Amino acid sequence: MSGAGGPGAERAPTVAIRSPLPGVFYRRPSPDFDPFVEVGSPVEPDTTGALFELMKQFFEVPAGTTGTIAAVAVADAEMVDAGQVLFTVRGS
């Protein structure tokens, strides 16, 4: 078999969770709290992955899929653009 069976061949595909709008990305609800999700965290479609602040209003960003956080692409309190990748989730 050519090309099959290499490292990661059996891994589920990843899904990019993108910013729904421009604004400030927050990984945690408050500086004193742990992040909503970390690499390795299991998520369901309604799991909160982050908060956004736009014009003094806060919006939750749900994972929107089932799986495990594979990567976090943005630092806490970083300004992001609409459509920017925030996390990747490996499907279950």
Side-chain angles (χ1 to χ4, degrees):
M1 290 183 182
S2 62
E10 297 297 320
R11 298 190 112 173
T14 58
V15 175
I17 307 304
R18 297 180 180 273
S19 172
L21 44 95
V24 181
F25 169 82
Y26 292 104
R27 292 193 59 207
R28 55 189 84 225
S30 167
D32 298 335
F33 284 70
D34 291 333
F36 290 107
V37 295
E38 294 279 9
V39 171
S41 295
V43 294
E44 296 290 329
D46 61 349
T47 301
T48 299
L51 291 177
F52 270 92
E53 180 184 6
L54 177 65
M55 298 180 67
K56 304 291 184 196
Q57 293 186 12
F58 286 87
F59 304 90
E60 289 186 358
V61 177
T65 191
T66 300
T68 302
I69 299 292
V72 178
V74 181
D76 190 42
E78 186 174 316
M79 188 74 169
V80 297
D81 293 321
Q84 184 173 338
V85 174
L86 307 173
F87 305 99
T88 54
V89 175
R90 187 163 311 283
S92 51

